[in-house]
Amino acid sequence: MRADTRGRVPFALLGVLLLVSSLSLAPTLVPTTAPTETAVERVLDRTTAETQTAIRDGAATAAHRAATDPVITPANTTVGRSLNESAPFRDALRLRVYLQVRKRLTEVSETSEGVTATASLPAVTDANDVDRAIDRVRVERGGPNRTAMRATVENVTLTVRRGNRTVTTRTLSPTVVVTAPALLLHDRVTAYEQRLNNGLGKPGLSQRLTARLYPIAWARGYAQFGGAPIENVVANRHVALAANGAALGVQRSTFGRSDPDGRRALTEATAVTGVEDVVRGSDGGAFAGRVLDQADYRPAAADISTVEQRSDYPRPGDAIRIGVNETATRAFREVAAPTQLNRTLRAAYSVEVRLTTTSERLRGGPPGQPQSPGPDWTLVDGDTTRQTTVAGGASADAPARDGWHTLDTYGRIVVREYTRTALWKNDNETRTTVATSTERWRVSVAVLGRHEGGSSAPTRGIRTAHERGAGPLSGPNLADIEPRAERHLIRKAGGRNAVAQRALRGEVDTEPVTVRGARPAGLRRWVYRDVAALRERLQSISVAVERESVGAFERNPARKLRTRVADRRQELAAVPATYGSTAEKARVAARIAYLDAVERRLDERVRRRTGARDRFADVLQGRTEGSLTDLRRGLTAREARKPPSRPAPTGPAGPVRFHVDASPQYLTRAALGEANYPAMNGSEHPLAVRNVNVFTVPYGDAAATVTDGLSPSDGHVRLATAAATLSSANRTASVAANGTVTNRRDRLRRAVAKSNDEVARAMAATVSETTGVDTKRSRAIVAASMRDWNSTASRALALSNGSASTRVAAVAATRLDLSKVERDWLEVRLRAMVADRLEEPGARPRASLVNRTAAAVRSVAHEEATRALGDAGRKRVEQLVARRTGTSRLPAGIPLAPPLSPWYATANVWWVTVEGEYARFEVSARHGSPTVADASTSYVRDGEPVHLDVDSDGAAERLGTSDRVTFRAETGVVVVVPPRPRGVGDKDGEAVETSAGWPDAGT
């Protein structure tokens, strides 16, 4: 018999309900005595505390290990693909935290009165588990100054059991802050690498590299320009040294300090490079020391602004004065030529004249209809005739019109006699009747004048316009305009009476005509001298432009000059409120015409400069990896100031102090191996350098393309360039018996002499045309003038720089007894003609011949250096050889502004690119008291693969790679020197200099 269980509750269930009820009611009961903690509460509290500790320990361990083996690039593995490609380090850190915390939670267990509590996280067995594990963890920088790491692990399960039975569970998501600065280190190293790779537009290696290279390039460039035998202004050794110094500077700005071993290595490398530069062509150790100081190589040196203040050569930011100069001479030739100047003066002495008339009827008029013969007569025809006569003079009343003034007036009484006839008819009979009348008119005639006459001079009154003898030349002024106007307008029309009669008939021509007055005999000479004086004033007008901005085509000096001349135009023209005489008006007209010509020439210079800028940009982009925009950014980057050192940030455990340990400490262009640095894989080149000198020798088409706009197929160089090369070849041939040099020198000399002769013949023709002497005498004058220069090269340079034109004009003036005006005009014509002729192919030797000669000179220099090294060692060998053979005299660079405007500077550009790779880059951070053991975290980037046993099967899965710290930086440096044929640039014949490891550092 079964017991009746309906309506009953099982004892086991009743026990559980009583337990739960007691737990839920306990907080609400207010006992009269202190409550006792239950075993469940006790184990849960203890387990929660242990869980916090486990998470803190696990997060700290994970942070240390993640920093030691940071994942920079995730692997193409099951686990690697779970890492976010944009933040693989953080995801790998989150996964490590999860695994470390899970491992430690397995050891968390608390027991009290038979109740046990544990903490746990799910195991990781597949890719989905990896994703969930990463999602359960959040990490971020936290604590004071965000130096520590804040970690949150979500959904940690606390389980309470009594025996094998689960009593309750609880889910926690604890957040802990650990002092290990893994994220801080990762962010700082990432920032360091980013700054190493920043372009010129942002702070970083490129800007610092620029700031270090500029003083080197300018010091060595000006030393070369001054005669020091320097073949390479900017060599790869300079780039490497500057790049290492710049990288250490970026370290200081990022970490607050740089690698101490790197600083020592830089000091040693600086000393070695200094000695090498002395050997390679300085003026001794003092020069090398000065260059090194200016380059800010030494870590203890002041910032770049202080260094530049100590320099004794022009700085990039110094101003260069650029003037109107030859532009004023070329414009002068336009307006001072006899035909043109006569045209200007003739216009000033020209007056527009015209006639104007008025008529007033005094009495009388045409007759009426003649009387009819009778009532039956019919008018069938009729005619009226008139006869005009001048009865005598009368007062004139002919007002002038706007803009015109009266030169002369007269009046006439004009009489008209009318006869009117009528033909009448009556049947077959006709009859004529006549009526007569007389009409009297007063006709006024005025001769009007207007002084504009097509002159460029502004409209102003002339106080003494019609006064003979007035003005500086005591000439006729415009006193003869009135009789000339009357002769032209009245006498040719038949006289005054005839004009009056025509006026009454409405037949007078009132259209303006131009009448020219007589000019004083000395007018042209007087005006010429005045405009020549104005030319001198215009030639002296200049503007200040930064040297670097000129070389980088950042500024257009011609545009500034155009503005400056326009601003001073009123002062230069000196137009009075009223002209004192017609001669003064003529002088102002010539000034205005001249100023107009100068401004047109300056506008042409603006256009040519703009065109040259565009061609320069094309050449730069075609020959380098840079652009004109980047080159201009370099102008700003060279002035980059060092940011102030950062104080050590303070974290939860005190100051966080960084220590940088790079391997290799100094990134060298040479190959290094595992024997030098264990982190290397075989033989590697830590630094690779490419250095392009854009406008160097041999003379290609780049300079001609930019300055002249010539096609590369033109294949010619400037006469000045060929002459400078010939001068170097002469020097080499005099000290070295080399058949190749002698042969090529002779061929180049013949080519330069041929160009000289062509220009000299053109000069003789100009002398003959200008002065009127015969061809024989003009050639003798030129030949005598050129004897001042005793070599082919020196004659070519004299023709190129204008000194030959000045000398020819002086000799011609002496032999032909020329006046100052005649001599001046001859020189103006000679200078302009020579400048034009030097642009023609006949006056420009072929580039191939110049290049071969320059190459032969360099070859002899290298042979001499090798021989000297074998005999006397390395000391000062290259310096002595360069001085003996003349290689430093070879021209280089790009002349700015010729041919149609003055050559005011020579520029050159070096575009450098560096690629670097640290085999191992470690940054350690101490984050506590120095007395605390192991209070540091190290972050290491060494290129090694990163593995982690994710599923606890004893085999580590590949997470990714701890990529090495690599960088690429580039910049351009422009150097501007005065306008001499020697120029500035690398003169060893190598336009592109690359190091052994280019283009892949680390290989």
Side-chain angles (χ1 to χ4, degrees):
M1 178 177 176
R2 297 189 307 173
D4 187 2
T5 59
R6 290 176 294 179
R8 298 181 182 178
V9 179
F11 286 103
L13 178 59
L14 181 60
V16 172
L17 290 174
L18 289 173
L19 176 61
V20 173
S21 299
S22 64
L23 290 173
S24 60
L25 291 174
T28 64
L29 298 177
V30 183
T32 56
T33 60
T36 59
E37 186 180 39
T38 65
V40 172
E41 291 174 324
R42 194 161 42 252
V43 295
L44 282 175
D45 289 344
R46 293 175 182 174
T47 303
T48 297
E50 287 190 33
T51 298
Q52 289 276 357
T53 301
I55 292 176
R56 183 176 291 104
D57 292 344
T61 301
H64 283 285
R65 294 181 179 178
T68 302
D69 287 313
V71 178
I72 305 304
T73 301
N76 187 21
T77 61
T78 301
V79 179
R81 286 189 292 272
S82 294
L83 304 181
N84 190 328
E85 291 186 0
S86 63
F89 174 79
R90 277 173 163 74
D91 277 6
L93 174 59
R94 291 161 71 187
L95 180 59
R96 286 182 182 274
V97 169
Y98 183 90
L99 295 176
Q100 286 294 328
V101 170
R102 182 179 182 279
K103 178 180 178 181
R104 279 165 172 71
L105 289 179
T106 60
E107 301 173 358
V108 173
S109 177
E110 286 293 332
T111 301
S112 177
E113 299 179 10
V115 177
T116 301
T118 60
S120 64
L121 286 170
V124 177
T125 58
D126 55 28
N128 292 331
D129 292 340
V130 173
D131 293 339
R132 283 190 289 268
I134 294 173
D135 290 341
R136 279 176 179 248
V137 179
R138 296 195 306 273
V139 293
E140 60 184 350
R141 289 171 57 181
N145 297 311
R146 302 178 68 241
T147 59
M149 184 182 78
R150 180 183 290 109
T152 300
V153 181
E154 297 180 346
N155 300 326
V156 176
T157 302
L158 303 185
T159 304
V160 178
R161 291 186 178 85
R162 187 184 294 276
N164 293 327
R165 180 169 53 82
T166 299
V167 176
T168 186
T169 60
R170 179 180 294 179
T171 300
L172 303 176
S173 297
T175 297
V176 297
V177 175
V178 295
T179 58
L183 290 174
L184 171 64
L185 287 170
H186 173 73
D187 289 347
R188 285 290 177 92
V189 174
T190 300
Y192 174 65
E193 188 172 26
Q194 179 63 51
R195 292 175 184 177
L196 291 178
N197 287 280
N198 276 345
L200 286 164
K202 298 179 180 179
L205 182 61
S206 291
Q207 288 191 355
R208 288 176 174 269
L209 177 63
T210 306
R212 289 171 176 270
L213 281 179
Y214 254 97
I216 301 172
W218 280 70
R220 290 178 59 81
Y222 266 85
Q224 183 195 69
F225 178 78
I230 294 175
E231 285 195 339
N232 276 19
V233 174
V234 178
N236 278 355
R237 65 184 182 276
H238 305 121
V239 178
L241 196 64
N244 276 275
L248 290 173
V250 178
Q251 287 180 18
R252 286 193 300 272
S253 67
T254 306
F255 304 106
R257 61 184 64 187
S258 57
D259 183 357
D261 293 333
R263 294 196 298 272
R264 286 191 291 271
L266 179 65
T267 301
E268 293 173 3
T270 299
V272 171
T273 301
V275 172
E276 189 174 3
D277 278 338
V278 171
V279 174
R280 287 179 179 265
S282 70
D283 288 331
F287 174 82
R290 179 168 61 85
V291 171
L292 295 175
D293 284 342
Q294 291 161 348
D296 189 26
Y297 283 157
R298 296 181 174 83
D303 63 36
I304 200 70
S305 61
T306 305
V307 171
E308 287 189 350
Q309 289 171 5
R310 299 202 309 268
S311 65
D312 56 357
Y313 60 90
R315 295 170 295 178
D318 287 351
I320 181 174
R321 302 298 306 187
I322 299 175
V324 176
N325 298 333
E326 281 302 307
T327 300
T329 302
R330 286 176 169 263
F332 185 81
R333 185 182 63 163
E334 294 180 23
V335 300
T339 54
Q340 181 59 44
L341 185 54
N342 286 337
R343 188 178 297 117
T344 301
L345 301 180
R346 192 165 52 243
Y349 276 78
S350 297
V351 177
E352 285 186 302
V353 295
R354 61 177 296 185
L355 292 177
T356 182
T357 64
T358 60
S359 299
E360 178 186 2
R361 185 162 54 189
L362 301 177
R363 62 178 178 271
Q369 182 72 33
Q371 188 175 358
S372 172
D376 296 329
W377 293 85
T378 302
L379 181 65
V380 295
D381 197 5
D383 185 28
T384 302
T385 62
R386 61 187 178 187
Q387 183 178 1
T388 304
T389 60
V390 175
S395 60
D397 184 17
R401 299 191 178 185
D402 291 342
W404 296 79
H405 63 278
T406 302
L407 298 176
D408 188 22
T409 62
Y410 69 91
R412 290 291 185 268
I413 300 297
V414 180
V415 178
R416 278 181 174 174
E417 298 287 348
Y418 291 94
T419 300
R420 183 173 183 178
T421 61
L423 180 63
W424 306 87
K425 187 175 182 181
N426 182 5
D427 295 332
N428 294 325
E429 185 181 359
T430 61
R431 186 175 294 179
T432 300
T433 60
V434 178
T436 62
S437 68
T438 300
E439 185 180 46
R440 294 178 69 86
W441 290 81
R442 184 176 68 175
V443 177
S444 298
V445 179
V447 180
L448 305 182
R450 186 169 59 182
H451 290 164
E452 281 77 355
S455 174
S456 56
T459 302
R460 300 287 192 274
I462 303 177
R463 292 193 305 270
T464 61
H466 303 289
E467 296 178 15
R468 189 174 297 275
L473 301 176
S474 300
N477 221 354
L478 295 179
D480 60 345
I481 287 295
E482 181 181 336
R484 287 172 184 259
E486 182 171 348
R487 183 168 60 249
H488 193 86
L489 297 175
I490 297 178
R491 291 182 187 178
K492 288 184 178 181
R496 294 195 171 200
N497 289 348
V499 171
Q501 292 178 48
R502 287 184 181 181
L504 197 58
R505 297 194 300 267
E507 297 175 356
V508 173
D509 185 1
T510 60
E511 288 299 314
V513 297
T514 300
V515 178
R516 295 184 175 91
R519 302 191 298 276
L523 178 65
R524 183 178 177 277
R525 184 183 302 272
W526 181 68
V527 172
Y528 183 99
R529 288 178 174 174
D530 181 79
V531 179
L534 179 59
R535 181 189 68 204
E536 301 301 318
R537 294 179 64 188
L538 279 165
Q539 286 178 330
S540 66
I541 293 177
S542 64
V543 294
V545 185
E546 297 86 352
R547 293 173 183 269
E548 57 183 5
S549 65
V550 170
F553 285 82
E554 188 177 30
R555 299 284 184 270
N556 192 324
R559 182 174 287 112
K560 293 187 68 174
L561 282 171
R562 174 69 170 79
T563 302
R564 180 66 57 83
V565 170
D567 291 342
R568 295 187 57 185
R569 184 183 177 98
Q570 184 175 357
E571 167 204 342
L572 295 168
V575 181
T578 303
Y579 299 117
S581 66
T582 309
E584 290 185 9
K585 178 183 178 181
R587 180 177 62 183
V588 170
R591 287 180 176 180
I592 295 296
Y594 180 48
L595 290 171
D596 289 343
V598 169
E599 290 184 351
R600 285 194 302 270
R601 286 281 182 175
L602 289 174
D603 287 339
E604 176 63 21
R605 281 178 64 173
V606 172
R607 288 190 293 271
R608 287 183 61 83
R609 173 75 176 182
T610 301
R613 178 202 63 196
D614 296 340
R615 295 189 294 271
F616 178 86
D618 291 340
V619 169
L620 185 64
Q621 191 166 8
R623 295 196 167 195
T624 72
E625 298 177 354
S627 67
L628 185 55
T629 300
D630 289 333
L631 186 63
R632 291 173 176 175
R633 286 174 177 164
L635 302 184
T636 302
R638 72 166 186 84
E639 298 177 345
R641 299 294 189 264
K642 298 176 183 178
S645 300
R646 294 183 178 183
T650 301
V656 179
R657 295 173 294 275
F658 296 102
H659 176 79
V660 181
D661 183 9
S663 179
Q665 302 92 344
Y666 184 91
L667 298 173
T668 177
R669 293 169 291 145
L672 301 177
E674 295 179 77
N676 308 101
Y677 299 96
M680 290 187 171
N681 298 319
S683 179
E684 300 180 14
H685 294 84
L687 188 70
V689 180
R690 183 174 187 260
N691 177 9
V692 180
N693 185 204
V694 180
F695 302 101
T696 185
V697 291
Y699 316 100
D701 54 20
T705 297
V706 173
T707 51
D708 306 334
L710 297 177
S711 166
S713 62
D714 178 81
H716 295 81
V717 300
R718 294 180 173 279
L719 182 58
T721 300
T725 306
L726 177 59
S727 177
S728 295
N730 286 335
R731 189 181 185 92
T732 301
S734 67
V735 298
N738 184 283
T740 302
V741 170
T742 302
N743 178 266
R744 292 180 178 176
R745 186 274 312 271
D746 292 345
R747 293 181 63 187
L748 178 59
R749 181 164 55 195
R750 288 192 293 271
V752 173
K754 181 180 178 181
S755 298
N756 291 348
D757 291 342
E758 179 169 331
V759 178
R761 284 192 297 271
M763 295 179 79
T766 301
V767 172
S768 178
E769 179 184 343
T770 305
T771 64
V773 300
D774 57 38
T775 302
K776 183 178 180 179
R777 291 189 68 187
S778 65
R779 288 181 177 176
I781 289 171
V782 173
S785 304
M786 298 304 293
R787 292 194 191 102
D788 290 350
W789 299 278
N790 57 10
S791 71
T792 302
S794 62
R795 291 191 192 103
L797 292 175
L799 290 170
S800 300
N801 62 28
S803 56
S805 297
T806 302
R807 181 59 182 159
V808 169
V811 173
T814 301
R815 294 193 175 189
L816 303 178
D817 194 23
L818 300 180
S819 67
K820 290 183 179 180
V821 169
E822 290 170 333
R823 172 180 172 173
D824 181 81
W825 175 238
L826 176 59
E827 183 175 350
V828 167
R829 290 202 63 190
L830 285 170
R831 295 178 74 91
M833 182 280 300
V834 170
D836 291 339
R837 188 56 60 94
L838 288 176
E839 298 310 310
E840 298 177 3
R844 297 163 64 100
R846 296 197 63 83
S848 57
L849 179 58
V850 177
N851 288 340
R852 286 194 295 268
T853 305
V857 170
R858 284 191 301 271
S859 177
V860 168
H862 293 158
E863 292 174 3
E864 289 287 307
T866 301
R867 186 180 303 110
L869 281 171
D871 296 339
R874 186 177 181 84
K875 184 178 180 182
R876 301 180 67 86
V877 164
E878 293 186 12
Q879 176 185 358
L880 297 175
V881 168
R883 282 180 172 168
R884 291 183 67 228
T885 61
T887 52
S888 64
R889 297 175 179 266
L890 290 173
I894 171 177
L896 298 178
L900 296 183
S901 52
W903 179 9
Y904 51 76
T906 299
N908 215 324
V909 175
W910 286 263
W911 191 265
V912 300
T913 307
V914 295
E915 293 187 356
E917 181 175 287
Y918 290 100
R920 187 176 187 275
F921 191 83
E922 178 180 353
V923 180
S924 300
R926 295 191 61 84
H927 41 87
S929 170
T931 59
V932 178
D934 198 28
S936 67
T937 300
S938 295
Y939 181 94
V940 181
R941 297 270 296 274
D942 54 10
E944 295 294 327
V946 179
H947 295 85
L948 179 65
D949 185 3
V950 176
D951 53 9
S952 301
D953 62 354
E957 287 77 26
R958 182 169 180 175
L959 296 181
T961 305
S962 176
D963 297 344
R964 291 178 174 181
V965 173
T966 62
F967 61 84
R968 176 187 174 91
E970 57 184 347
T971 188
V973 177
V974 57
V975 176
V976 180
V977 299
R980 293 181 193 169
R982 177 180 292 170
V984 63
D986 294 345
K987 301 184 179 184
D988 61 352
E990 298 295 331
V992 181
E993 183 183 1
T994 58
S995 66
W998 182 264
D1000 298 313
T1003 59

